[in-house]
Amino acid sequence: MARPATATDTVPQTEIPSAPPKLIVPLGRGSRGKSWWARWAVERAQSQGREVVVADADRTNPTLSSYFDDVVTPPSADDRDVREWLATFIEAQIEQRFTGVLDLGGGDLILKRIAREMSLVDFLGQHGIQPVAVHLLGPDADDLAYLRDVETDNLFAPEATILIFNEALVPLHRTPRAAFTETVQAHPILAKTLDRGAKLVWMPRLEPAQDIDTRRLTFAAAEASQVKDGQTPIGPWKRQQIATWRRAMETAFAPVADWLP
């Protein structure tokens, strides 16, 4: 396992950008698409020439190291190690002024504890880091539990908050609009969060998602059929589906582009 980030070696020294660096944290229950979305967001930033530090603190299913180089991870899954590692990571971010994507395990409680103890949103803002909360939601009312918890008493409720309805979690026999309208979209916590300035995004389903995951490919590589040695190439039909999905993602997330890495 990689050693924790330090203030001197997390990323190469770069010029301070005009926009504030961001700490982007995908949140929610397990298997809601947090790591999937993080992969897309980081790949998008890198393809557009923006450097992003990927911090993988998912203690049950750390996968981002399979897709990106130089991913930083805690030295162990122990709470004490993760807390110390996260503190060091944020201090390095404050000093070096880089944007980071922090991937936590589904329902991990450590962010809630640190957010409460440190007044994390205010702390980051005081040091010129923009916190971005990204909630991945399916059409299940229980998916709103984490959102409710962090919104209560502004525990981790930054101005930049994205609520993502993940259409991939909708059963194939249902339409996404109907599935979400009948459940989470009618819940008071969703309306309250939107009323305070959060933005809602519908994330489209990608049918050949499993073809990409099993090969551990980036989306761009999958679209270009750049498979690894010994892998079966992805056919032209599915590559076109991937290309269409990537364009749809750009359109869907255009209203929150300023909050992305």
Side-chain angles (χ1 to χ4, degrees):
M1 182 173 290
R3 58 189 172 84
T6 70
T8 57
D9 66 3
T10 304
V11 292
Q13 296 295 322
T14 58
E15 294 183 2
I16 296 176
S18 56
K22 306 176 183 72
L23 179 62
I24 300 165
V25 190
L27 301 168
R29 298 168 67 194
S31 302
R32 300 298 92 180
K34 296 183 299 300
S35 297
W36 174 269
W37 179 85
R39 284 163 47 195
W40 171 80
V42 172
E43 182 181 332
R44 174 183 181 273
Q46 292 178 341
S47 70
Q48 296 176 7
R50 292 186 297 279
E51 191 171 67
V52 182
V53 176
V54 181
D56 191 350
D58 189 329
R59 293 186 264 183
T60 57
N61 188 29
T63 60
L64 293 183
S65 296
S66 300
Y67 297 93
F68 303 106
D69 296 328
D70 302 321
V71 174
V72 296
T73 61
S76 81
D78 187 275
D79 266 9
R80 294 164 294 184
D81 284 340
V82 175
R83 288 169 63 90
E84 181 64 24
W85 169 83
L86 183 54
T88 303
F89 180 82
I90 292 175
E91 286 186 343
Q93 186 178 25
I94 291 169
E95 179 178 324
Q96 297 183 31
R97 317 304 295 165
F98 59 82
T99 285
V101 173
L102 173 63
D103 191 26
L104 298 163
D108 198 318
L109 299 178
I110 199 160
L111 180 71
K112 296 179 185 178
R113 295 171 185 154
I114 292 174
R116 187 180 303 279
E117 294 169 10
M118 294 295 296
S119 299
L120 187 58
V121 171
D122 291 340
F123 173 76
L124 291 169
Q126 290 166 8
H127 289 279
I129 305 295
Q130 182 182 29
V132 181
V134 184
H135 293 271
L136 277 294
L137 303 167
D140 185 333
D142 289 341
D143 287 359
L144 293 167
Y146 201 97
L147 175 65
R148 182 192 63 239
D149 290 349
V150 298
E151 287 287 317
T152 300
D153 300 326
N154 294 317
L155 182 60
F156 191 75
E159 178 182 354
T161 295
I162 306 172
L163 309 178
I164 299 177
F165 284 178
N166 186 356
E167 296 182 12
L169 302 175
V170 177
L172 291 176
H173 69 278
R174 303 289 310 279
T175 66
R177 299 285 169 175
F180 280 99
T181 297
E182 295 171 4
T183 53
V184 301
Q185 202 161 12
H187 198 283
I189 190 59
L190 191 83
K192 182 178 179 180
T193 307
L194 291 171
D195 285 345
R196 72 159 182 81
K199 296 183 180 181
L200 176 63
V201 176
W202 292 76
M203 187 164 76
R205 178 195 301 269
L206 176 58
E207 289 190 17
Q210 187 173 0
D211 296 83
I212 299 172
D213 286 351
T214 56
R215 293 170 173 82
R216 287 294 194 261
L217 298 173
T218 65
F219 300 113
E223 181 181 339
S225 195
Q226 296 174 354
V227 294
K228 301 174 183 178
D229 290 344
Q231 293 180 342
T232 304
I234 296 176
W237 183 277
K238 291 182 178 179
R239 294 203 306 272
Q240 178 62 19
Q241 289 178 311
I242 296 167
T244 300
W245 178 83
R246 293 179 73 202
R247 291 193 294 270
M249 287 288 284
E250 285 294 330
T251 300
F253 283 90
V256 295
D258 289 345
W259 294 346
L260 300 181

